[in-house]
Amino acid sequence: MALAGATLWHLRTEALSNQKRQMSMLTLAVSDEIDRRLLDVHDGLVELRPELRRPGAVLHATDLGSGVPALWWVAGDGHLVSTTSPEPAPAPQLFAPALDGLRGNAAALSRPFTDPASGESRVALAVPFNPRDTAQGGWLIAALPARALLGAFSAATPAADARLSVHRDDGVTLAASSSADEPAGTLVLERRELPHFGVQVQLTRSRDAVLANWGVMARTTGVGALLLLAVLALALALVQRADRRRAEAQKALQAQMARSSKLEALGALAGGVAHDFNNVLAALLGHGEIARDAAAPGSLAARHLDSLLQAALRGKGLVERILAFGRGGARRSSVFELQPVVEEVLKLLAASLQPGIVIEQRLAAPGARVRGDPTQVFQAVMNLCLNGLQAMPAGGSLVVELARRRNTAAQVLSHARLEPGEWLALAVSDQGAGITPEVMERLFEPFFSTRSGGTGLGLAVVHGVVAEFGGAIDAASPGGGGARFTLYLPECGDALTPEAAPRERLPGGQGQTVMVVDDDPRLVALTEEMLAGLGYEPLGFADAQEALAALRAEPQRFDAVLSDEIMPGLAGTELAQAAREFAPGLPVLLQSGYGGARLAQRASAAGVARVLVKPLERAELARALAELLPPR
C-alpha cells in the first residue's frame, strides 16, 4: 500500500505538470492572435492621424474596417470633435494608463463597457493625438468587441471547464470566455504577458477536473494493489490518448494561424508590387496606342506596335491575377446567383475533357445569391476544377458540389476561420495523388507550383477571391489520396442586380476641359495627349495640392477631373471630397489599380462619379467621359 500511495502521488504531480505543458502551446497561440489584433487597431489609429490633420477631416465608419464598430476623436478639453457612433465616447477615467499621460504612439485600454444599442460588451483602445500638431488635439479612440480579445479560443477550447481571461496590469478583467466567477480550487495553468498594452492572458481549469482521472484511481486503492495497478495502467493510457488528441487540435490551430498571417503579408507585398507595375504598363499601353494610330496601316511599325500592345494587355491580365491574390484589385460588385456561374464553368470544361475523366455534379442551391464580382467567382471555380483535372493525368472523377450551410459556431478550417452564419459551400474533389504536408503549408502562396511550367497563381487567385467576398477556404487531403477544396461564400438576401444594357459606340469630346492629376509627370503628359486625341482640352498637374488650388480658383473652367488615387500629400478621394465644397456638380473620375472594396466605399463617400482600373485603356476612358459629360 505504501508503494501504491507513492505511485498515486507521483501520478498526481505528473497529471498537473502535463496539463500545464499542454496548455502552454494553446495560450501562446491565442496570446499572439490577441496581440496582433490590438496592434492592428493601434496601427490603424496611428495611420489615421495624418489624414485627420487636414482641414475639415472627419472620421468614417470604414476607416478601420468592420471589426471596429465605433471611432471617436476627443479633443484635449474633452469635447467630441468627430465620431462614427451615436453613443458617447468612454469616460477618460475608464482608461489605464491615464489618457493625460500618453505620449507619442503609446496606447491605453479602457475597462469593459456595454454598448446601449446592441447590448454588446466592448473595450476601447486610445492613442494620443498630439496637440502640438493641431489645435484640436486629444485622443483617437476605437471600440472593439470584448469577445475579439479571446481570439480563436472558443474554437480550440481543450475542455468545458477551461476558462480564458484577459486582464489589464491593474487587475481589471477585459474579457473572459465564461461570465461566471472562478470557483474555489481553480488552477492557473498558464499566464502570458502582452507588454505592448499592459495586458495579461490567463488560462485556468478546475483543479478537480484536471485531477478527475487521478481521483478515480485514488478511490480504487482499497480494492487491492493488483487491481490498482491495472486501473492505473488503463487510466494512464486514456490520459495519454486524450493528451495526444488535444495536442493535435492545438497544433492544427497554430498552423492555421501561421498560414493566415503569412498569406496576409504576401498579399500586401503582392499588391504593392502590382501597383508600381501598373504605372509602367500604363505608359506602355498609352504611348503604344498613340503610336499605333500614327503608324501606316499594314506597315512593319504597325505590326511591331500591335505586338507591343498585346504584350502590355497580357501584363495587365497578370497584374489583375496578382491583385486578386492581394485583395486589392478594383472590381465591380453586384448580386448574382452562384449556381448558374458554376454550371457555366462545368459546361465549358465538359467540351474538352480528356478520355477517362468524369465530372460529377451535385449542385443543390438553386436561387442562392452572393454579392461581388461574378467574373472573379468564375475564375476561382475554373482554377479549382483545372487544378483537380491536372491532378488526375491517368483519369478519374472530379466531383463538384454546391449546397447551403448554416454554421452555428465558429469553426477552424485549414486556412481560415469560419464564423457563424449562412454560407454557400462549394466543394471540388479529385482522385489525384493528394497533397503532402509540405505542400499544404505553401498551397496558396503566389508563384509556388508543384508542376513544371506552372505559374503558381491559380490557387493564389482562388484564395484572394474568397477573401474579397468575405468567405473562407478549407483544403483537405485524406490519407487514401485525392484532394478536396471547399469554398465558403456568404449568402446574400438582396435583390439581383439588373443586367446592364449593351453599350453603343460613344463619340469623342467637344472641347470640354478635363483636369488631369497624377504624381508621375510622365503619366500626366501621356494622359493629356490621349485626351487631346479624343477631342478634349486637358490641363495636367503633377501636384494634387496645386490642382486643388487651381480648381478652387476657377471651378467653372473645368468640365471634369481625372485623378489618380495614391498620391503623396493628397489622395484622389480626398481631392474629390474637397472639390465637392465649391464644385458639387463637377464629375470626378478616379483611376487606380489597387483598392478593391474599401476603395469603392471611400470613392462613393467622396462623391466620385466613376472608378477606372489602371492601366487605363483609351476606349474605356472615352466611354466613361462620354457618359458623364453632356454634348455641347
Side-chain angles (χ1 to χ4, degrees):
M1 291 303 294
L3 177 60
T7 302
L8 283 172
W9 183 256
H10 174 73
L11 289 174
R12 181 183 187 277
T13 304
E14 282 296 310
L16 294 174
S17 178
N18 287 339
Q19 187 67 200
K20 289 185 177 182
R21 285 196 298 268
Q22 293 155 13
M23 295 302 105
S24 177
M25 180 183 298
L26 177 60
T27 309
L28 176 61
V30 174
S31 299
D32 288 346
E33 183 183 4
I34 295 171
D35 197 33
R36 283 198 303 272
R37 173 63 175 153
L38 291 174
L39 282 174
D40 285 345
V41 176
H42 172 269
D43 293 346
L45 291 175
V46 171
E47 291 173 4
L48 273 179
R49 293 190 300 198
E51 299 181 13
L52 294 177
R53 293 190 182 107
R54 300 190 180 97
V58 296
L59 293 171
H60 298 284
T62 58
D63 281 338
L64 293 187
S66 59
V68 177
L71 291 169
W72 298 276
W73 173 7
V74 180
D77 59 4
H79 81 271
L80 188 64
V81 180
S82 178
T83 182
T84 66
S85 170
E87 304 302 332
Q93 59 266 30
L94 296 179
F95 289 84
L99 295 183
D100 290 337
L102 296 181
R103 296 293 184 272
N105 293 335
L109 282 169
S110 76
R111 290 174 174 267
F113 59 93
T114 301
D115 176 58
S118 64
E120 178 183 58
S121 178
R122 294 178 175 176
V123 175
L125 186 146
V127 299
F129 196 27
N130 195 334
R132 292 176 296 178
D133 296 335
T134 173
Q136 293 181 324
W139 306 276
L140 294 179
I141 303 173
L144 61 158
R147 66 176 184 274
L149 297 182
L150 300 177
F153 178 78
S154 60
T157 179
D161 63 291
R163 184 178 190 268
L164 183 77
S165 55
V166 183
H167 310 271
R168 291 194 318 205
D169 283 347
D170 59 0
V172 172
T173 300
L174 302 179
S177 60
S178 172
S179 58
D181 294 332
E182 292 184 342
T186 296
L187 182 65
V188 178
L189 296 174
E190 186 68 15
R191 183 183 288 113
R192 293 281 177 178
E193 302 280 348
L194 304 184
H196 293 104
F197 302 98
V199 168
Q200 297 179 2
V201 179
Q202 180 173 283
L203 181 61
T204 61
R205 282 195 67 188
S206 164
R207 186 186 300 271
D208 292 339
V210 172
L211 297 176
N213 290 333
W214 178 86
V216 172
M217 290 183 281
R219 286 191 294 271
T220 63
T221 54
V223 178
L226 292 177
L227 181 59
L228 174 61
L229 292 176
V231 172
L232 286 175
L234 176 60
L236 185 58
L238 293 174
V239 169
Q240 290 174 343
R241 182 180 178 184
D243 290 346
R244 285 195 299 270
R245 289 181 176 177
R246 281 194 292 267
E248 290 172 358
Q250 292 159 12
K251 184 178 179 181
L253 171 63
Q254 202 170 26
Q256 184 271 316
M257 294 170 63
R259 290 168 185 158
S260 297
S261 299
K262 180 166 62 175
L263 288 172
E264 287 177 7
L266 286 171
L269 175 63
V273 172
H275 169 255
D276 294 338
F277 189 39
N278 252 336
N279 285 339
V280 178
L281 286 176
L284 288 173
L285 199 57
H287 286 298
E289 288 183 329
I290 294 172
R292 179 64 181 82
D293 289 344
S299 65
L300 180 62
R303 291 197 298 272
H304 286 319
L305 287 169
D306 285 337
S307 298
L308 182 139
L309 290 173
Q310 290 173 3
L313 290 174
R314 285 196 300 270
K316 180 180 179 181
L318 177 62
V319 169
E320 289 177 350
R321 294 177 72 187
I322 296 174
L323 284 173
F325 169 75
R327 289 170 283 168
R331 296 280 185 173
R332 66 188 180 98
S333 179
S334 62
V335 178
F336 62 96
E337 291 187 8
L338 180 59
Q339 186 159 312
V341 176
V342 180
E343 291 172 344
E344 183 180 357
V345 172
L346 299 181
K347 183 178 179 181
L348 289 174
L349 290 174
S352 58
L353 287 179
Q354 297 179 358
I357 296 290
V358 176
I359 295 182
E360 183 179 347
Q361 301 183 35
R362 301 175 185 173
L363 308 182
R369 304 168 186 175
V370 293
R371 177 182 292 278
D373 185 355
T375 304
Q376 283 185 296
V377 171
F378 181 93
Q379 187 177 20
V381 178
M382 179 66 78
N383 285 353
L384 274 185
C385 291
L386 289 176
N387 191 71
L389 294 175
Q390 291 168 358
M392 301 184 294
S397 178
L398 184 76
V399 180
V400 181
E401 303 169 81
L402 177 63
R404 290 180 169 93
R405 172 173 171 178
R406 172 175 292 177
N407 197 34
T408 57
Q411 181 181 355
V412 178
L413 308 179
S414 67
H415 289 75
R417 174 183 168 93
L418 187 65
E419 300 295 340
E422 303 293 334
W423 299 91
L424 296 178
L426 172 64
V428 178
S429 307
D430 63 63
Q431 295 177 328
I435 307 171
T436 65
E438 294 77 16
V439 173
M440 183 70 76
E441 291 297 323
R442 306 186 61 188
L443 198 57
F444 296 103
E445 292 183 19
F447 311 115
F448 170 74
S449 177
T450 58
R451 287 188 290 270
S452 176
T455 64
L457 285 175
L459 290 179
V461 167
V462 173
H463 180 274
V465 169
V466 173
E468 183 75 16
F469 273 71
I473 187 167
D474 186 46
S477 184
R484 180 183 177 89
F485 292 87
T486 306
L487 311 185
Y488 294 93
L489 303 180
E491 186 171 2
C492 176
D494 296 341
L496 292 172
T497 302
E499 295 185 4
R503 291 178 173 175
E504 300 178 359
R505 186 181 181 125
L506 299 174
Q510 296 176 311
Q512 297 99 322
T513 302
V514 179
M515 172 182 282
V516 180
V517 189
D518 198 303
D519 60 311
D520 189 334
R522 294 168 298 181
L523 292 182
V524 171
L526 171 62
T527 308
E528 285 181 314
E529 187 173 356
M530 188 183 299
L531 287 169
L534 291 171
Y536 298 95
E537 181 180 341
L539 182 59
F541 294 86
D543 186 297
Q545 295 287 358
E546 292 180 4
L548 182 60
L551 195 59
R552 183 177 283 110
E554 297 181 276
Q556 71 283 354
R557 177 182 179 183
F558 301 96
D559 296 290
V561 175
L562 174 63
S563 174
D564 190 24
E565 165 60 7
I566 301 178
M567 297 182 292
L570 191 68
T573 48
E574 295 172 334
L575 174 64
Q577 181 72 37
R580 290 175 63 184
E581 299 177 5
F582 49 84
L586 181 67
V588 178
L589 294 87
L590 196 68
Q591 58 173 334
S592 176
Y594 187 62
R598 296 189 67 177
L599 173 62
Q601 293 171 0
R602 293 200 307 272
S604 177
V608 172
R610 192 70 53 84
V611 177
L612 305 176
V613 181
K614 266 189 170 184
L616 195 59
E617 296 183 53
R618 183 174 50 180
E620 182 182 7
L621 177 59
R623 286 194 297 266
L625 286 172
E627 291 174 0
L628 294 174
L629 297 181
R632 288 183 172 178

